[in-house]
Amino acid sequence: MKKILTAIVLLSFLLCCLSGCHYVREFVENGIAYTCWEGILTVNGFDLRAEENDLIIKGTVKRSSEYYVRSIEAKAFENTNIKSLKIEYYKAENNPYLTDDDFLTFEEIRVFAFRNCKRLKTVEFPYGMTTIERQAFYGCESLETVTFPYCLKTIGDEAFGACSSLTEVFFDEKLESIGEGAFNDCNDNFTIHFKGKPPKADGELFGNVSNLTILVAEKHLEEYTQDEYWSKYADRIAAE
């Protein structure tokens, strides 16, 4: 009887691991390392044997089941030689482990994830991404323009600091906050576009940027020029 019970327990454990439930699993797919937890994947970086110039993060990875990618981990691709980044958009419809829609698509890039990727020139973010954490792209000195996705809410401290070639960024309507120094030491000629209302901000966002232009949706122009934080840039704000 004990042998039968032991066999049942081992079989249950194996089936659970194969299905991805309740256990942390790590694996490598096409040279990229992942961690899986209850149907959710985080990207940990390149496998030790692999590195790509053009990095594409798939929306889903198919193993024994189809798992969706939720985030890129801290320091995942720090100091690598990637030239372009594309994170594909995917929204899970029938995840057996989750019911909250907020957890059914790619959400965040964590601290230092792409710090000092000095050859990185282009980035393409997925529609549903909400968060870019502190210094995620710090020191990416080849980046020139960045268009942020519709769902983005938060940019962390120094997220794009020391991106010395970065001249223009575009924000959509859902942006809520920008961390201190988010664009410090970017190109001297720097233009930032806002579609939505003034985001919360603290400290200096554009340190050592001498020629700053802030373009906002015409319907929000007065809000920016009278905002407690953004009014200090009133002479650099214009409608578009």
Side-chain angles (χ1 to χ4, degrees), residues 173-233:
E173 295 180 359
K174 287 200 171 185
L175 183 67
E176 296 177 356
S177 65
I178 303 179
E180 185 171 359
F183 299 103
N184 279 359
D185 300 303
C186 286
N187 192 277
D188 279 345
N189 296 301
F190 187 80
T191 301
I192 186 167
H193 301 255
F194 293 109
K195 282 188 178 180
K197 294 182 178 183
K200 295 178 182 178
D202 289 307
E204 179 56 68
L205 300 183
F206 311 103
N208 299 318
V209 174
S210 57
N211 187 16
L212 172 67
T213 302
I214 300 172
L215 298 177
V216 305
E218 187 170 1
K219 63 182 178 180
H220 297 305
L221 178 60
E222 187 174 344
E223 293 175 71
Y224 277 86
T225 56
Q226 295 183 6
D227 181 81
E228 182 178 356
Y229 178 84
W230 292 98
S231 59
K232 67 181 180 180
Y233 299 111

Side-chain angles (χ1 to χ4, degrees), residues 14 16 37 45 47 51-52 58 98 106 117 126-127 132 134 144 148 158 176 191 201 212 214:
L14 178 60
C16 211
W37 169 252
D47 177 55
E51 183 166 325
E52 299 288 336
K58 298 289 186 181
L98 299 169
F106 186 92
C117 290
Y127 172 88
I132 298 176
R134 178 169 58 94
E144 296 178 356
F148 296 103
E158 298 184 299
E176 296 177 356
T191 301
L212 172 67
I214 300 172

Side-chain angles (χ1 to χ4, degrees), residues 56-98:
I56 299 176
I57 303 296
K58 298 289 186 181
T60 61
V61 176
K62 194 169 184 64
R63 302 286 284 181
S64 56
S65 299
E66 188 172 49
Y67 304 135
Y68 84 97
V69 178
R70 181 179 175 184
S71 63
I72 298 175
E73 267 299 339
K75 299 185 178 182
F77 298 98
E78 183 182 30
N79 296 317
T80 56
N81 291 316
I82 61 172
K83 293 180 179 179
S84 68
L85 166 66
K86 179 180 180 180
I87 306 171
E88 294 184 348
Y89 175 65
Y90 172 79
K91 183 173 181 180
E93 295 179 356
N94 295 303
N95 188 306
Y97 308 107
L98 299 169

Side-chain angles (χ1 to χ4, degrees), residues 144-186:
E144 296 178 356
T145 65
V146 176
T147 299
F148 296 103
Y150 175 77
C151 292
L152 187 73
K153 295 180 179 179
T154 303
I155 293 279
D157 293 353
E158 298 184 299
F160 289 84
C163 293
S164 55
S165 297
L166 188 60
T167 60
E168 196 163 24
V169 296
F170 298 82
F171 286 104
D172 218 303
E173 295 180 359
K174 287 200 171 185
L175 183 67
E176 296 177 356
S177 65
I178 303 179
E180 185 171 359
F183 299 103
N184 279 359
D185 300 303
C186 286

Side-chain angles (χ1 to χ4, degrees), residues 87-119:
I87 306 171
E88 294 184 348
Y89 175 65
Y90 172 79
K91 183 173 181 180
E93 295 179 356
N94 295 303
N95 188 306
Y97 308 107
L98 299 169
T99 57
D100 187 342
D101 285 344
D102 289 341
F103 291 90
L104 298 182
T105 188
F106 186 92
E107 286 196 350
E108 61 183 344
I109 298 175
R110 294 183 175 153
V111 295
F112 314 142
F114 295 93
R115 185 170 62 173
N116 292 326
C117 290
K118 296 185 181 299
R119 300 174 68 191

